[in-house]
């Protein structure tokens, strides 16, 4: 059985500043492009039977620079829609909501482009992605290029845990790899946040 390879897109100005970038289409920085390119040799050694990506340009560009081909955009891989918190840092949010925690408190509605999304909605999207990917793993590895919070939700759903368990995983750094696998039909994390 193949592994599910999670690739977090390369660095953007907002990932650098800690701003929540859900649906806003932010380009990669020069450092983000370099990190994406550095993934290519490691990914070239894998037998990839399919590659899926968030349709946002930071993910699509990461896939391209990492040498991935045949990439299928999948809107279910878009980052959590942060609603009214789009573009804000956690510190800025906590100025108006002391003690705020994304995993516990969720988001507030935003404008038409950022209506907001609750954790269980993100989990439903990742479950749909996993339903499409699992059969493909019989043939080899599958790569997914996506975003930090979404990768955490997808990972805990892979493990069969409630989506709120995503808070237990460290945020994957931009331009890193994580590997999800199975052993004796039991899912596990083979590696997390590998540069």
């Amino acid at each position: 059985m193949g592994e599910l390879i999670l690739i977090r897109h390369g660095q953007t100005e907002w990932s650098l500043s800690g701003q929540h970038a859900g649906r806003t289409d932010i380009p990669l920085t020069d450092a983000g492009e370099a990190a994406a390119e550095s993934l290519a040799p490691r990914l070239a050694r894998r037998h990839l039977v399919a590659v899926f990506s968030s349709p946002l340009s930071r993910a699509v560009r990461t896939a391209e620079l990492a040498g991935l081909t045949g990439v299928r955009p999948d809107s279910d891989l878009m980052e959590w829609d942060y609603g009214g918190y789009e573009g804000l840092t956690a510190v800025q949010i906590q100025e108006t909501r002391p003690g705020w925690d994304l995993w516990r408190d969720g988001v507030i509605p935003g404008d038409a482009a950022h209506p907001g999304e609750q954790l269980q909605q993100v989990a439903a999207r990742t479950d749909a992605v996993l339903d499409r990917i699992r059969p493909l793993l019989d043939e080899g590895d599958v790569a997914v290029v996506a975003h930090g919070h979404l990768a955490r939700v997808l990972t805990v759903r892979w493990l069969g845990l409630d989506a709120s368990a995503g808070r237990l995983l460290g945020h994957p750094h931009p331009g890193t790899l994580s590997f999800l696998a199975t052993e004796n039909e039991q899912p596990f994390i083979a590696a997390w946040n590998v540069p």
Side-chain angles (χ1 to χ4, degrees), residues 32-46:
E33 291 200 354
E37 287 175 343
S38 73
L39 299 175
R42 183 157 194 181
L43 293 169
R45 296 191 298 261
R46 304 301 295 234

Side-chain angles (χ1 to χ4, degrees), residues 13-22 82-98 100-102 106-107 149:
E13 290 295 335
W14 283 18
S15 66
L16 187 60
S17 65
Q19 291 171 264
H20 287 84
Y82 299 119
Y85 296 146
E86 184 77 9
L88 300 178
T89 66
V91 171
Q92 290 172 318
I93 297 166
Q94 290 178 2
E95 287 173 0
T96 58
R97 287 193 67 188
W100 173 82
D101 177 80
L102 175 65
V107 303
H149 281 122

Side-chain angles (χ1 to χ4, degrees), residues 180-192:
L180 307 181
T182 59
E183 183 174 64
N184 299 322
E185 299 183 14
Q186 294 300 309
F188 70 100
I189 301 171
W192 187 254

Side-chain angles (χ1 to χ4, degrees), residues 9 12 26 33 36 91 94 125 127 136 141 157 187:
H9 64 76
T12 68
I26 308 290
E33 291 200 354
V91 171
Q94 290 178 2
R125 290 194 288 114
D127 288 349
L136 301 172
D141 297 333
R157 297 303 297 145

Side-chain angles (χ1 to χ4, degrees), residues 67-115:
L68 301 174
T69 59
V71 179
R72 300 181 225 178
D74 188 331
S75 61
D76 283 339
L77 291 171
M78 290 183 67
E79 180 61 294
W80 194 325
D81 181 346
Y82 299 119
Y85 296 146
E86 184 77 9
L88 300 178
T89 66
V91 171
Q92 290 172 318
I93 297 166
Q94 290 178 2
E95 287 173 0
T96 58
R97 287 193 67 188
W100 173 82
D101 177 80
L102 175 65
W103 300 97
R104 181 190 62 231
D105 303 322
V107 303
I108 60 172
D111 59 20
H114 307 95

